[in-house]
Amino acid sequence: MLNITLPDGSQRQLPDGATGYDVAASISEGLARNALAVTVNGDVRDLHRPLPDNATVSILTWNDTAGKSTYWHSSAHLMAEALEALYPGVKLAIGPAIENGFYYDVDLGEGRSISSEDFPEIEKKMLELAKHKSRYERKDVSKADAIAYFTEKQDPYKLELIDGLEDGQITFYTQGDFTDLCRGPHIPDTGTIKAAKLMNVAGAYWRGDEKNKQLTRLYGITFPKAKDLAEYLERLEEAKRRDHRKLGKELKLFAFSEKVGAGLPLWLPKGTALRERLEQFLRKAQVKAGYQPVVTPHIGSKELYVTSGHYEKYGADSFQPIKTPNPGEEFFLKPMNCPHHCEIYKTEPRSYRDLPVRYAEFGTVYRYEQSGELHGLTRVRGFTQDDAHIFCRPDQVKEEFKKVIDLVLYVFKNLGFEDYTAQISLRDPENKTKYIGSDENWALAESAIQEAAAEKGLPTVTEYGEAAFYGPKLDFMVRDALGRRWQLGTIQVDYNLPERFDLEYVAPDNTKQRPVMLHRAPFGSLERFVAVLIEHCAGNFPLWLTPEQFIVLPISDKYIDYANEVKAQLEQRDLRGTVDARDERIGRKIRDAEMAKLPYLLVVGEKEAQDKIISVRKHGEGDLGSMPLDAFVKSVQSQIVEAY
RNA sequence: GCCGUUUUAGCUCAGUGGUAGAGCACUUCCUUGGUAAGGAAGAGGUCAUGGGUUCAAAUCCCAUAAAUGGCUCCA
């Protein structure tokens, strides 16, 4: 008999050779029907593999992340089977599950390609094959046999993968006529795959190395119910509606011009209003937090970047130098603000008593991003960082980190970002030599970050080997409408620049010591932040931030004077908005204002002009009835205060 | 930078080798209208740019640029 522990701690006894399926069946018939896989002591396994004794087993269904991912991995095999049927001779590379669905990298061979027009045929074939309810059969294979199989099949990619595997650890999975090298696990059979959709085709390098051959990557997604697919597609549509590139154009926030140059955004008046309000918001918070604003030029001499090391590392791949009438004199557009701030630090001798020194600047920087990398406002070639550099003693790092975390969270809270992740990036413990700075300082900084995050109760994930060569960091990531993760806020420790710029302070014992430098940017950059903010709130910005809080809509041109009076009075009370004085009917004006996502529409006609009141309509909510101006102002102001 | 796709009026898009189209926006006129599109007329385009094929190119081919989905990259 086997002793099995369930996740709730309860125990069950099953006969020897029992499988995850048997466990599910012993719980309920429905669970057995919906089970896709199991976890055995935390590892995901096939549902029909015999269980070991004394294992903790939990049943995975479509509702578990690991269940979904197994399902999609199996779906990748199904797609591969369909591709082999439709494109004989196709070579398969790798086909994992991803966050939403799966992909398979394939080599179609010379002269063949797949486009989105071919998707329906592949989807049809997948569903046709799925109907066979083929079991995913697992088989242990010796390395020699595995090599023989894929040599016969002439698949160089699988052979290369096998080359890296240990004999005795190699398994094949077969469903129907399709056999793949695979560690598994898989769902029991193809019968649960009821809806399949190919999403996208793209190029991808074999093993992610751009020196290698480029393969065709087919992205797909499958579902156990057709309805789930429909809902998923609807969500994607919603994401497209929120896309900051679309809304940025529609709401007249920013634009690009081919003539100005790729990746160089033009901020339109409304976008500028939004951006400047964000700047003001942070400026205020930073003054309170002890930062001193500074301003530095947009260019710096070559020597500055030779000192910082950026010239050597990035000079050739970046914007090229600006020449002057003096032969040999060269300036660079600044790719970051740190070197300038280091020079500010150096303008006077520093005592340990002066530290920390915090210099903040909304610094516009220019980086020549690869052309294929440019993306709306999230990845551009000219952008403004809400940058600051903190110069402090090693023993102050933790305290400073905590203060910056507070600032970042303050920003996120006021803008309604709740779904963020915080990532601590540390050294690769296997390879400490590629990092600059002493072991001791690194250890100090790394534990300072971890402790600061823990003391602030910040949920974090820790990634080893993700630190910059010059120091560990803490990044805040927020998702965009399509679920892509973007780094916004960042806090980084830097041991490199203080060294290169020979920064010093005088310690209590009158010795010269090296300060630690922290880079930090709660927004990351205003461009990226605004992009993510647009998608986050679907263009319905918080009231305190939105470029126009109200629009006055006169019923006819007889009431334009009163409308202007309303506007003037509201402006005196620090609200901002406009009057729609067009010769249009009220229905049209309301429609246009709703489409422009203006928060408050103030309708004024005969009644309102006579009684000196306004009719208030709130975006997305409808008519709130009429009220005196004072009542409206009070209600709006209370909402703005609440937001802070 | 690499692979795929795209580029037609201010915007969204139709137009598969034979004289460039629609809706919205814009201008003018009519309309003075009470909570999501009032009516009419008008103006607006080197079909991204440069080459090529053809009697003839928005349409086919090549190059370049930009956008876009990925990959690689991201101080």
Side-chain angles (χ1 to χ4, degrees):
Chain A
M1 291 297 267
L2 297 176
N3 277 308
I4 301 297
T5 308
L6 295 175
D8 65 2
S10 67
Q11 304 256 334
R12 262 164 218 257
Q13 294 212 319
L14 286 109
D16 286 335
T19 65
Y21 179 82
D22 299 323
V23 176
S26 80
I27 297 169
S28 86
E29 196 187 319
L31 186 61
R33 204 166 44 237
N34 291 320
L36 296 173
V38 286
T39 62
V40 178
N41 299 327
D43 294 330
V44 183
R45 295 272 201 98
D46 296 338
L47 190 64
H48 289 288
R49 272 181 83 182
L51 296 169
D53 198 7
N54 295 319
T56 300
V57 172
S58 72
I59 310 294
L60 297 174
T61 68
W62 175 254
N63 295 323
D64 299 288
T65 310
K68 270 200 185 78
S69 124
T70 307
Y71 182 87
W72 282 330
H73 182 195
S74 300
S75 300
H77 281 228
L78 180 66
M79 182 170 76
E81 186 183 0
L83 290 171
E84 276 198 346
L86 295 169
Y87 301 83
V90 62
K91 309 272 185 280
L92 301 164
I94 53 164
I98 52 176
E99 199 173 335
N100 287 303
F102 54 89
Y103 67 78
Y104 219 116
D105 284 349
V106 301
D107 182 353
L108 294 159
E110 283 305 311
R112 286 204 294 188
S113 68
I114 289 182
S115 78
S116 50
E117 284 162 28
D118 305 315
F119 290 176
E121 196 190 1
I122 300 169
E123 290 158 8
K124 206 177 126 203
K125 190 78 192 171
M126 285 173 72
L127 292 177
E128 186 189 313
L129 292 167
K131 281 201 186 127
H132 297 169
K133 300 194 178 174
S134 316
R135 307 263 307 213
Y136 286 87
E137 306 280 1
R138 175 192 168 92
K139 191 174 143 202
D140 290 302
V141 184
S142 73
K143 193 161 182 171
D145 286 350
I147 292 171
Y149 179 84
F150 282 106
T151 305
E152 161 82 33
K153 206 175 167 188
Q154 296 182 4
D155 194 326
Y157 306 103
K158 296 294 177 189
L159 286 170
E160 199 179 319
L161 291 173
I162 292 168
D163 194 42
L165 296 175
E166 297 261 329
D167 199 2
Q169 308 237 326
I170 298 173
T171 52
F172 281 5
Y173 274 83
T174 302
Q175 95 271 7
D177 295 330
F178 176 75
T179 295
D180 202 357
L181 170 73
C182 185
R183 192 186 302 127
H186 282 283
I187 59 176
D189 65 69
T190 58
T192 46
I193 299 173
K194 304 281 197 200
K197 181 100 187 145
L198 268 64
M199 301 306 296
N200 203 359
V201 55
Y205 301 104
W206 167 236
R207 305 211 135 170
D209 187 335
E210 64 180 317
K211 289 183 199 73
N212 285 340
K213 177 157 185 176
Q214 188 149 27
L215 306 172
T216 303
R217 176 169 295 179
L218 282 164
Y219 288 88
I221 192 161
T222 50
F223 293 93
K225 286 182 199 150
K227 203 178 102 206
D228 294 337
L229 173 61
E231 276 169 15
Y232 175 73
L233 294 176
E234 174 50 39
R235 269 213 309 286
L236 284 188
E237 287 303 310
E238 170 61 22
K240 273 189 202 155
R241 283 192 283 275
R242 285 169 172 249
D243 191 313
H244 77 274
R245 293 166 299 186
K246 179 175 178 292
L247 286 173
K249 200 184 269 182
E250 287 173 5
L251 303 179
K252 301 188 180 179
L253 299 172
F254 59 88
F256 288 91
S257 150
E258 222 172 289
K259 221 167 218 165
V260 172
L264 300 170
L266 304 171
W267 287 81
L268 306 180
K270 287 189 184 186
T272 305
L274 184 75
R275 172 190 162 127
E276 291 195 333
R277 206 150 265 119
L278 275 173
E279 276 189 35
Q280 285 311 324
F281 162 71
L282 188 57
R283 261 183 226 281
K284 251 199 221 160
Q286 286 182 163
V287 168
K288 270 189 217 154
Y291 289 80
Q292 304 178 82
V294 294
V295 174
T296 64
H298 284 220
I299 61 174
S301 80
K302 177 179 163 184
E303 282 65 41
L304 184 67
Y305 299 107
V306 169
T307 301
S308 72
H310 296 112
Y311 179 78
E312 195 190 356
K313 207 158 186 271
Y314 299 102
D317 298 325
S318 198
F319 283 112
Q320 291 305 292
I322 300 162
K323 311 251 190 220
T324 74
N326 284 339
E329 192 174 44
E330 290 183 353
F331 289 85
F332 282 82
L333 281 166
K334 69 175 172 188
M336 77 283 296
N337 306 297
C338 342
H340 288 82
H341 290 187
C342 285
E343 286 301 301
I344 293 180
Y345 180 87
K346 290 192 78 164
T347 54
E348 51 181 305
R350 306 287 175 170
S351 151
Y352 71 98
R353 296 173 204 276
D354 299 333
L355 304 185
V357 171
R358 308 182 190 92
Y359 292 135
E361 173 173 19
F362 287 90
T364 304
V365 299
Y366 298 90
R367 300 178 185 178
Y368 192 77
E369 302 290 354
Q370 293 184 24
S371 57
E373 278 314 315
L374 301 174
H375 180 93
L377 276 189
T378 48
R379 198 75 186 274
V380 288
R381 285 179 172 161
F383 57 97
T384 302
Q385 295 179 309
D386 55 326
D387 212 356
H389 295 95
I390 300 168
F391 301 91
C392 67
R393 305 190 303 261
D395 63 277
Q396 293 172 318
V397 170
K398 181 170 150 191
E399 195 52 37
E400 287 307 305
F401 245 89
K402 280 164 76 174
K403 286 186 180 164
V404 180
I405 291 172
D406 281 339
L407 191 62
V408 172
L409 294 184
Y410 172 76
V411 168
F412 281 15
K413 183 170 156 267
N414 276 290
L415 290 151
F417 290 128
E418 281 148 18
D419 182 22
Y420 59 84
T421 50
Q423 176 181 318
I424 299 177
S425 299
L426 304 179
R427 275 182 303 182
D428 179 358
E430 308 284 301
N431 184 8
K432 290 187 177 175
T433 51
K434 66 175 181 180
Y435 303 97
I436 188 166
S438 74
D439 207 40
E440 188 188 341
N441 277 338
W442 269 84
L444 198 67
E446 290 188 342
S447 57
I449 295 177
Q450 287 169 310
E451 285 167 25
E455 284 171 36
K456 284 289 157 196
L458 198 65
T460 55
V461 291
T462 303
E463 297 288 342
Y464 292 90
E466 286 290 306
F469 74 93
Y470 52 78
K473 57 182 181 167
L474 173 64
D475 292 325
F476 293 80
M477 328 270 210
V478 176
R479 286 167 187 278
D480 71 8
L482 291 166
R484 282 177 298 222
R485 233 181 237 136
W486 292 96
Q487 180 202 309
L488 294 180
T490 179
I491 321 175
Q492 309 185 359
V493 182
D494 190 337
Y495 292 116
N496 181 39
L497 290 180
E499 200 71 35
R500 286 183 161 268
F501 279 89
D502 196 22
L503 305 184
E504 294 179 332
Y505 67 90
V506 180
D509 61 2
N510 204 27
T511 57
K512 298 252 164 58
Q513 300 290 331
R514 194 72 80 211
V516 179
M517 184 176 178
L518 302 184
H519 309 253
R520 48 102 279 181
F523 293 150
S525 79
L526 283 158
E527 284 72 12
R528 184 176 288 178
F529 192 83
V530 167
V532 176
L533 179 64
I534 290 169
E535 306 203 348
H536 180 73
C537 63
N540 299 306
F541 300 108
L543 205 50
W544 64 271
L545 184 61
T546 199
E548 289 173 4
Q549 294 164 323
F550 66 83
I551 183 164
V552 190
L553 309 179
I555 299 267
S556 82
D557 57 12
K558 285 186 232 155
Y559 312 108
I560 289 179
D561 286 346
Y562 179 60
N564 282 323
E565 191 188 321
V566 167
K567 172 178 175 253
Q569 286 201 27
L570 291 176
E571 279 175 344
Q572 269 180 15
R573 312 285 290 272
D574 284 330
L575 298 181
R576 46 189 186 274
T578 54
V579 172
D580 184 351
R582 292 177 304 165
D583 175 19
E584 292 291 352
R585 293 182 189 203
I586 194 67
R588 159 49 71 96
K589 291 184 185 181
I590 286 171
R591 178 184 154 81
D592 289 348
E594 289 280 357
M595 301 279 280
K597 297 176 187 283
L598 289 157
Y600 285 103
L601 321 189
L602 311 178
V603 178
V604 296
E606 192 181 354
K607 278 193 304 235
E608 290 80 6
Q610 208 155 57
D611 301 346
K612 299 288 171 198
I613 55 172
I614 49 176
S615 277
V616 180
R617 181 187 165 111
K618 194 169 182 182
H619 172 71
E621 289 181 25
D623 199 348
L624 301 184
S626 53
M627 60 184 80
L629 273 181
D630 276 350
F632 172 69
V633 170
K634 216 177 244 174
S635 138
V636 170
Q637 281 175 345
S638 75
Q639 288 178 60
I640 290 174
V641 172
E642 266 170 47
Y644 268 98

